[in-house]
Amino acid sequence: MIIKMKRIVIMMMTLFLCLSISGCALVPQKEELSDEEVVNTFLQAYQNGDYEAIKPFISDDNKLHTFFSVLTEGNGNGMEEVFKRVHELTKDFTFTAKAVEGKERWGEVSVKIQTKDISGNILTAMSEAIASEVANNDDSFKNMPAWMLKAIETAEPVEKEMTVYVGNRDGENVMDTNTNREFFDLLNGGFYYYIYSTMTTCSNKYDAFEIFAKGDEILGMVETAQLIDMSDDELQAYLAPFQFPGVNVQATRDDEGITMKLGVDFETASSKRLADLNIISNRITASGGYLSLRTTVKDFYDSAMDCETVYGLSQANKSE
């Protein structure tokens, strides 16, 4: 009887320990997702705006962390409405995601998505805002959220099929950022590359600059400068070299002197002509062939200018 009681006690203790540790067979284990299930679960989470459900499937360097941080926490430095509208326009896509037969060991999933391209007209809207600010002497370009919202409302339908790769050093269920960059861009309506956009202003007593950048790459700029006094003919001669595609210029005269506004669309304007006019220089042109925001701001600081990020996230001032 005593031996029997001891056996019962031992069995009870074993059962207790079994229920207390995760490795016990009596405790249900979390089912592993297939690659196909990973992609389907992730896409559904994006549609639902469920950031917590998205996080396990993307690397730490994925820009969607920032995108959903703005949506959930409202920390977009004036860009909250833009991010919200981007998600509203891109969340209702239709899709199919099927594992590629015979390619399971490489985590290949064929994905077909019908969505909207909301980024196609961003640079056009930027260029129009630059021209408007120069012509009307207002803040059309500086108000980045306004012209971005205008651009994304012109979203066009787009359909693409591509291969998504599941599994990397961050985990078997993680989709690598660089490998799947096209996929994340398509999912985000093309806005993925503009998540780290900023509007930066730099100024001193005589000059002011408004700078739109995508990450570290400057795409547009408006300069306001005070000119020395000159006759009307001299002023026209001074402005003439600035009049070419991608550049808008206008000067106004008042009791305090002459004020020039110069707008530049760096995607359109000739880099050589800009360099000849000393608008850009080798000091502020990145080795990657674009105008660097980081280097430009440093150059302005060295020239005793004050700079601040007016719109966009402060951590946006980094390269792609």
Side-chain angles (χ1 to χ4, degrees), residues 93-152:
F93 56 81
T94 59
F95 70 92
T96 58
K98 297 289 184 182
V100 179
E101 188 174 351
K103 300 283 187 176
E104 291 84 0
R105 63 178 296 184
W106 290 282
E108 295 188 20
V109 178
S110 178
V111 178
K112 186 175 183 179
I113 298 180
Q114 293 177 322
T115 185
K116 292 184 178 179
D117 173 16
I118 59 94
S119 69
N121 291 316
I122 285 181
L123 293 181
T124 299
M126 177 200 73
S127 185
E128 292 174 351
I130 289 173
S132 177
E133 180 161 323
V134 171
N136 302 315
N137 194 28
D138 57 22
D139 65 347
S140 299
F141 173 63
K142 183 179 180 180
N143 190 352
M144 181 173 73
W147 57 260
M148 271 206 170
L149 281 169
K150 177 182 177 182
I152 66 178

Side-chain angles (χ1 to χ4, degrees), residues 261-277:
K261 272 193 176 291
L262 177 70
V264 182
D265 173 357
F266 289 102
E267 291 292 286
T268 303
S270 163
S271 297
K272 182 180 185 306
R273 296 189 71 172
L274 293 175
D276 291 342
L277 292 168

Side-chain angles (χ1 to χ4, degrees), residues 202-204 283-284 293-307:
C202 297
S203 62
N204 59 19
R283 288 182 304 151
I284 56 176
L293 175 64
R294 184 185 298 107
T295 311
T296 300
V297 168
K298 181 181 182 301
D299 183 75
F300 285 156
Y301 274 130
D302 293 343
S303 302
M305 279 192 169
D306 294 322
C307 296

